[in-house]
Amino acid sequence: MLDAYAHVFTGGLPWILLGTATGIFVGSIPGLSGAMVISLALPMTYFMSGSDALLLLVSMYVGATTGGLVSATLMRMPGTEAAIMTTLDGYPMAARGEPGRALGIGVLASFIGGMLAWVILALLSPPLSVVAVRFGPYEIFAMTVVALSLIAAISRGSLLAGLMAAGLGALVSLPGIDPISGTLRLTFGFSGLDTGFALLPVLLGTLVVAQVFVDCRTPSAPPPPRGEAARVAMHIRDVTRYAWSYVRASVIGAWIGILPGVGGTTASIAAYSVEKAMAKGPERFGRGAEEGVIASEAANNAGTVGALVPLITLGIPGSVITAVLLGAMVIHNLNPGPLLFAENPGIAHTVIGGALAANLAMLLIMWLATPLLARLMYVRKAWLLPGIVIFCVIGAFSVSNRWLDVGVMLAFAALGYLMHRARIPTGPFIIAYILTPMAEQNLRSGLVVYDGSFLPLLTRPVPALFLLIALGSIIWALAGELRSRRAQRAAIQPPPGTAPGHENR
Amino acid sequence: MTDAPDTAPPAAPGRAAKLGFTALFAVLGLAALVAGSEIPPAVYEPVGSRAFPLALGALALGLAAAQAALLLPGLLRGRPAERDEPAAELWPAEARAAAAFALTVLWIGLVALTPLPFAPGTALYMLAMLAFLLRRCDARFLALAVPVSAGFAWGLTLLFTRVFYLSL
């Protein structure tokens, strides 16, 4: 463990600084997401060691979450989805002439949220991994079913849309050589599909290039008028003044972050709502309340670090970004899952240490570079889009030096665009694409171990509990879906006693 | 004057795209079912390689049928669905995305299938995309965009061929 931490703070430090700075920059530009920058950086990590690659990517993840604060506060445009609640109070503070103060308490909240969640990560992960390492194939299969059901159930849009996205991701993961029997399947006689769809072209196409084409739909708008390039104003006394707000938001954020599929946006909404409910003057919220910025920023950064808990202990990604991080572990042959702590303890502790170092780097970079960021984020996105496509093409080509992978990437970009237009979430697609092979291998191994019997899935306590959770989440989502349909129908129907067309008179 | 014309409003983009996605999903599900049924049955294990393709193919067809059942009545009645932009602006927006996609496919096709080297092809692509996205082709734009495109394309090519040994 000490070796891992020593590496993080010596040889790994340049990657952490680079990753955090890049993440902050990308996160501060509305429309460019953390998932995009991490997917774009994946091909570069081919030439790095596994631990350095993870340090770079985890730092980008932490940086991108924080970067959203800058544009949310100065432009009222959340750079990342998780910063949406920050706009409610950050922008009014900036508008009344306190941009430096808004950024200062936001940066401090992000730092404290990240650090408190890091304590939870560091304390919870080792014991959880000791339990997880005893899991057999059925336990792991049931766990992946829980992750898939939660992600589909909580996904944006309807449950059906989430399930279709997950189903498509699962189908796309099937072509190629079956890893258990060695049989070729679903290749349709096309030798290019013998190794299946490589991870990187699928990720780059669906997450990054598709988003570029979505951005091409709207003509490049001129950048908004420049505001004051604020210097971050942080005060130590804020730590004691708002201590309970930091703690509440961080614990809520970290806890929600640990749950698969919920994510930083929900964490910041929940923390903001709790903070408003507990505040002395709740009417101040939405008009520049400092506790509002603290709740949103502490929770979304805590959620980011919290999401690393299921990733490194169970190999379960809770969001698109952590799914990409899981993909990075697969690319670097790090065997993500319950065995990570047993087989590669150095890597697991590198990720934990990396989260700590990235938070420290974030505090430093945000403090020093925010005035510069405030200028850079006014660059027109049209200047960035062609470069992003070119990087993606090189990244897809670098998988195995063949143009076929670039074609695959473009095909998945078209699919991602269609999904965007159809309002089908891409998160369940990516996560199912990554988790389905794990689910299939463990189910089939379990069937071999238990002589072809499915019964242990219901009689063994852990798989039974996991499957119960999966069933519960589907039922919960179905009930929510029915409630919202009923509410929509009630909203369309006129109230009793009202003649049709009454409202138009 | 008569009341509003009794014609169905045009199908909304979200619903048309959803129908397209559902059709694609159903076709892929059917393909998985057909190709899965051709995989030889397992010999040394209870379910074998065909179980997941068959199960997922059937699931895909079921989900696609459920989605179609939800979409089709509204589509047949011509009920307007949710939309995020005015219909008049919709097709130019789709056309812009399609044109950017076509430009990208043309660039990849040229550098992959013809002797056009990667660096000049990429510089031309970048310049064309910038002109298209910014809707500018004046001298001031070219004075900035040409060196930016050329520098970016040749810089990246040098980096990836000389440092990372890619055969672009």
Side-chain angles (χ1 to χ4, degrees):
Chain A
M1 185 177 99
L2 286 178
D3 285 348
Y5 276 81
H7 175 68
V8 167
F9 287 98
T10 53
L13 204 56
W15 299 118
I16 288 169
L17 291 172
L18 176 69
T20 311
T22 311
I24 288 172
F25 170 59
V26 170
S28 68
I29 297 176
L32 299 186
S33 67
M36 277 175 87
V37 68
I38 293 172
S39 305
L40 271 173
L42 260 182
M44 314 285 170
T45 68
Y46 282 170
F47 310 97
M48 297 163 65
S49 69
S51 57
D52 285 344
L54 284 175
L55 285 179
L56 180 79
L57 301 177
V58 168
S59 307
M60 282 180 169
Y61 180 28
V62 172
T65 309
T66 313
L69 160 75
V70 183
S71 52
T73 303
L74 299 182
M75 295 165 75
R76 207 179 199 169
M77 291 169 78
T80 54
E81 208 180 318
I84 196 152
M85 300 308 284
T86 310
T87 58
L88 298 184
D89 290 287
Y91 183 76
M93 281 182 74
R96 71 177 180 227
E98 298 177 290
R101 173 89 183 128
L103 288 171
I105 57 168
V107 170
L108 200 58
S110 299
F111 174 69
I112 293 174
M115 293 306 283
L116 290 178
W118 177 81
V119 172
I120 294 171
L121 171 73
L123 291 179
L124 201 61
S125 298
L128 199 58
S129 71
V130 172
V131 177
V133 84
R134 293 187 192 148
F135 283 3
Y138 272 172
E139 280 79 5
I140 299 174
F141 167 73
M143 210 166 62
T144 52
V145 172
V146 171
L148 288 170
S149 67
L150 277 173
I151 288 154
I154 301 167
S155 57
R156 177 172 62 92
S158 72
L159 172 67
L160 194 54
L163 287 175
M164 286 207 302
L168 186 63
L171 278 177
V172 164
S173 74
L174 293 178
I177 299 170
D178 169 23
I180 292 185
S181 67
T183 314
L184 266 184
R185 61 179 182 184
L186 306 194
T187 59
F188 304 97
F190 181 50
S191 63
L193 272 180
D194 285 359
T195 50
F197 293 113
L199 177 69
L200 201 56
V202 175
L203 288 180
L204 290 173
T206 319
L207 294 179
V208 188
V209 184
Q211 186 59 47
V212 170
F213 294 131
V214 168
D215 289 339
C216 288
R217 299 178 79 249
T218 46
S220 182
R226 290 179 190 225
E228 182 191 339
R231 177 158 284 285
V232 173
M234 276 187 282
H235 304 293
I236 295 297
R237 65 171 181 273
D238 289 334
V239 179
T240 48
R241 189 176 167 198
Y242 294 118
W244 284 111
S245 301
Y246 287 121
V247 172
R248 265 194 301 269
S250 304
V251 170
I252 291 170
W255 175 244
I256 290 179
I258 290 170
L259 301 175
V262 188
T265 310
T266 312
S268 65
I269 293 170
Y272 186 89
S273 307
V274 169
E275 200 56 40
K276 188 176 174 182
M278 298 187 80
K280 278 183 185 159
E283 68 283 350
R284 293 179 293 114
F285 280 69
R287 295 175 189 171
E290 295 187 348
E291 300 98 309
V293 178
I294 289 171
S296 170
E297 284 302 310
N300 68 33
N301 267 57
T304 302
V305 178
L308 296 174
V309 175
L311 179 74
I312 60 169
T313 56
L314 306 171
I316 297 294
S319 63
V320 178
I321 298 187
T322 46
V324 178
L325 288 175
L326 188 76
M329 289 183 178
V330 173
I331 286 171
H332 286 274
N333 296 318
L334 295 175
N335 194 13
L339 290 176
L340 182 71
F341 262 92
E343 291 177 353
N344 280 309
I347 290 292
H349 288 295
T350 299
V351 173
I352 298 174
L356 170 70
N359 261 297
L360 293 167
M362 177 276 291
L363 183 70
L364 182 74
I365 293 168
M366 288 292 280
W367 184 44
L368 293 175
T370 298
L372 175 69
L373 272 177
R375 286 190 202 99
L376 282 177
M377 71 186 183
Y378 290 99
V379 172
R380 274 192 181 194
K381 214 163 35 166
W383 285 97
L384 304 176
L385 297 180
I388 291 173
V389 177
I390 293 167
F391 259 115
C392 288
V393 166
I394 295 174
F397 182 82
S398 69
V399 172
S400 45
N401 269 306
R402 56 180 192 171
W403 289 105
L404 176 69
D405 290 316
V406 178
V408 168
M409 183 192 75
L410 286 177
F412 277 95
L415 177 69
Y417 180 82
L418 179 66
M419 289 174 80
H420 177 271
R421 298 297 298 131
R423 297 178 187 182
I424 305 277
T426 49
F429 169 82
I430 294 292
I431 292 167
Y433 166 71
I434 289 175
L435 286 185
T436 302
M438 194 200 287
E440 183 184 10
Q441 280 185 41
N442 282 291
L443 179 67
R444 286 167 63 186
S445 302
L447 284 168
V448 171
V449 170
Y450 294 105
D451 293 328
S453 172
F454 287 96
L455 209 60
L457 277 171
L458 303 174
T459 54
R460 290 177 65 85
V462 174
L465 177 70
F466 280 147
L467 291 181
L468 207 64
I469 294 171
L471 187 68
S473 73
I474 295 281
I475 291 172
W476 174 71
L478 271 174
E481 187 98 344
L482 286 175
R483 263 198 310 272
S484 71
R485 278 181 189 278
R486 227 174 281 146
Q488 274 176 6
R489 229 174 287 146
I492 291 167
Q493 279 169 0
T498 310
H502 172 81
E503 61 280 340
N504 292 335
R505 284 176 195 166
Chain B
M1 290 287 284
T2 57
D3 288 329
D6 189 23
T7 52
R15 196 160 54 197
K18 204 169 248 177
L19 207 59
F21 178 83
T22 307
L24 176 71
F25 187 50
V27 167
L28 288 178
L30 192 65
L33 266 182
V34 172
S37 63
E38 288 168 4
I39 299 171
V43 179
Y44 301 110
E45 56 166 327
V47 293
S49 310
R50 60 190 293 176
F52 260 65
L54 291 177
L56 287 173
L59 178 74
L61 284 179
L63 289 173
Q67 180 68 70
L70 283 176
L71 283 174
L72 283 175
L75 203 68
L76 293 175
R77 277 200 301 269
R79 196 178 68 199
E82 73 280 21
R83 65 160 52 106
D84 50 11
E85 58 201 284
E89 289 175 16
L90 176 72
W91 285 107
E94 301 290 13
R96 274 195 294 274
F101 187 76
L103 204 58
T104 307
V105 171
L106 180 70
W107 163 54
I108 299 298
L110 283 175
V111 294
L113 304 173
T114 71
L116 178 69
F118 184 78
T122 302
L124 285 174
Y125 166 73
M126 188 162 182
L127 187 63
M129 277 288 273
L130 285 174
F132 171 68
L133 292 173
L134 293 165
R135 295 176 169 192
R136 286 181 64 180
C137 207
D138 53 280
R140 207 170 146 215
F141 163 77
L142 288 174
L144 184 61
V146 169
V148 164
S149 305
F152 189 79
W154 263 277
L156 270 189
T157 307
L158 273 177
L159 176 73
F160 280 93
T161 52
R162 299 286 166 86
V163 179
F164 296 132
Y165 300 110
L166 283 184
S167 54
L168 284 167

